[in-house]
Amino acid sequence: MASPQSIDPQSIQAVIAKTKTLINTQLKTILRLESLPVSGAKAIMQERIINLINHHARSGNIADYNRLRDRVYDINQSSSNHYNHSTSSATPPSSNMPTHSTRPTHPFGKGLTPTSYAQVKPKFRDSPFYSITESLSSVLECKVREATRDQLETKINLRQDVVDRLVADSSQKVMIYCASEPISPFSQVDITFPHQIEIRVNLDEVKANLRGLKGKPGSTRPADITTLLRKRSGYENTLNVTYALTNKKFYIVVNLVKQHAPEALVAKLKAGRSISKDQIIREMITRSQDGDIVTTSSIMSLKCPLSTLRIDTPCRSTICTHNQCFDALSFLQLQEQAPTWTCPVCNKVVSFQALQVDQYVNEILKYTPRSVDQVTVEPDGRWYQVTQKENPNRTTGTRSSSEEDDDIVEIQEPRLAAIKDEALLTPSSMARTPPYSSREQSLSSAAPRSSSGKRSIGQVIDLTFSSDEEEQPPRGPKRQSTSNGASISHTSSVATTAHLLPGPNGFNFNLPRLAPAKPPEPLDYRFGDP
């Protein structure tokens, strides 16, 4: 009885090492093909595959081992190719086989070339604006170029039937799609171009936005090259792609697509399912009956939050809980330029399939004039137009007599009237500001008169006083020098006395009186002793 054939340990270690280099998508693909769970972290999925490799090696099940080995090396190859060799037996390794080889030989004895990623066609995410009809070129693989640049070239040959469709139907377009790794046959990918890329068709540069919105994956549109192609059957259109500074692989393919205009999509929404008026009213009544929530009337705007114009086709997503709608055409036109697919009211992620026409808001728009921008909605679903109360005083630009009387207030007090009369009767010769010393005496003399708590009329403080108006102090005595150096002084003293002059209506003015100067003493010009 022949003993079971053994598997080369170096081959086992090479397969295990290759398994540890796979990414999550590739590990899940292998686990699905082997009917194993795909949940868990990356290390857990690697451990499941490694344990299965060791199990087949220990049990001597060479057929299962070869099948799993081929799936690890050729992860992107169709699984049907692997099952064709599942019953074949492995050739035992000979003694003269090179030990440094990391790629095991095929069970049939021929070397298996790893399948290139370019042979796997990416499955792009569905878009309501573009429907892919067929591919017009093979998939180009842009290898990693972290510090250099690379250039690819391919030929696009249009068949006669494709040329006829492009000429007869303007909605038929030829567009360039691009995706980055990882690529999986079980999931859809977004359109993503390298950050630094230049595309030329027949030496004409493609003018298109190949980056999309910053920080918004999936906001890039395919590049339209319809006008750059020579629409002749059998003509080889040249496509040149130059890219640089990439840290992952990219895959480029040219597709023939059917373009759908936003107006056609709006017509499709109107013909499809809609949110009925009765359903919306039932939801509003249910929310108003909730004891934990106090509901009151609210203002609903009839303007689109995107275009700020009156809504023509009220639309919202079925996953949104608000009643505020947006215009369907404005929303779809924006998504055609930058497909973010977020609700402009609540910022939830929506899809075209979830968009429906709101019949409740549609009825409000139908029964209100176009000049109305908003309505008031009650919790029970009733609505009415918002009317602004007009103020006749503001519209005419005048005020009533009562408002004028409130603004101007005249105080009638006898003492203030007397002060005004005194200011008018005061002669101009007596309107001069008295000196500071005389005003102090007048204030001190007038203070005892006020026996009550009221201030008398005479106690008026003059705030127009300035220090420049004070009298200059008397000059000192003059000194004359004699021949013997003695100085003789002339003393002229000025006696200042204040006289209280009665003014009109109780005003008192203190005016100084100048006393006559004392005559100077005779000078003695004799020398020597008297």
Side-chain angles (χ1 to χ4, degrees), residues 51-278:
N51 291 338
L52 186 60
I53 294 172
N54 294 329
H55 171 72
H56 292 330
R58 288 194 301 267
S59 61
N61 193 348
I62 299 180
D64 294 339
Y65 171 80
N66 290 336
R67 184 188 68 247
L68 180 57
R69 177 199 61 188
D70 293 341
R71 288 175 177 174
V72 170
Y73 280 102
D74 309 324
I75 181 58
N76 291 285
Q77 188 177 4
S78 177
S79 59
S80 59
N81 296 334
H82 297 282
Y83 285 104
N84 295 334
H85 312 297
S86 58
T87 57
S88 61
S89 59
T91 303
S94 59
S95 58
N96 56 359
M97 182 180 295
T99 58
H100 61 275
S101 176
T102 58
R103 181 69 173 96
T105 58
H106 194 265
F108 290 131
K110 298 180 180 180
L112 181 62
T113 303
T115 305
S116 174
Y117 279 95
Q119 297 182 6
V120 178
K121 183 178 179 180
K123 185 178 181 182
F124 293 94
R125 197 174 304 278
D126 295 334
S127 172
F129 303 103
Y130 310 104
S131 299
I132 299 178
T133 304
E134 60 175 308
S135 298
L136 300 179
S137 70
S138 58
V139 180
L140 297 179
E141 178 182 353
C142 301
K143 299 183 180 298
V144 178
R145 295 291 182 265
E146 296 183 355
T148 58
R149 70 174 184 173
D150 198 357
Q151 184 173 1
L152 303 176
E153 180 178 334
T154 186
K155 302 296 181 179
I156 303 175
N157 294 319
L158 301 179
R159 303 190 310 270
Q160 185 61 42
D161 60 326
V162 175
V163 173
D164 296 339
R165 278 185 285 176
L166 291 175
V167 174
D169 189 1
S170 60
S171 62
Q172 296 287 336
K173 303 291 182 179
V174 179
M175 293 187 169
I176 299 178
Y177 283 69
C178 182
S180 61
E181 62 178 2
I183 302 296
S184 173
F186 303 100
S187 60
Q188 297 180 343
V189 293
D190 295 321
I191 299 176
T192 306
F193 287 88
H195 188 71
Q196 296 188 9
I197 186 174
E198 181 185 70
I199 302 176
R200 291 182 178 272
V201 176
N202 297 326
L203 301 181
D204 294 328
E205 184 178 359
V206 177
K207 302 292 185 180
N209 182 14
L210 303 179
R211 296 185 181 181
L213 299 179
K214 185 178 181 181
K216 297 290 185 180
S219 61
T220 307
R221 298 188 303 166
D224 188 2
I225 60 172
T226 307
T227 58
L228 303 180
L229 294 174
R230 307 292 189 268
K231 300 178 183 62
R232 295 196 301 268
S233 177
Y235 184 86
E236 290 187 351
N237 295 275
T238 305
L239 174 65
N240 297 101
V241 179
T242 304
Y243 67 96
L245 305 180
T246 57
N247 54 6
K248 56 184 176 180
K249 293 182 179 180
F250 288 85
Y251 308 97
I252 299 177
V253 62
V254 180
N255 293 326
L256 177 66
V257 301
K258 171 75 173 177
Q259 186 177 14
H260 306 283
E263 292 79 7
L265 297 179
V266 172
K268 185 177 179 180
L269 286 177
K270 292 180 179 180
R273 299 180 58 183
S274 62
I275 306 175
S276 64
K277 172 185 173 182
D278 297 335

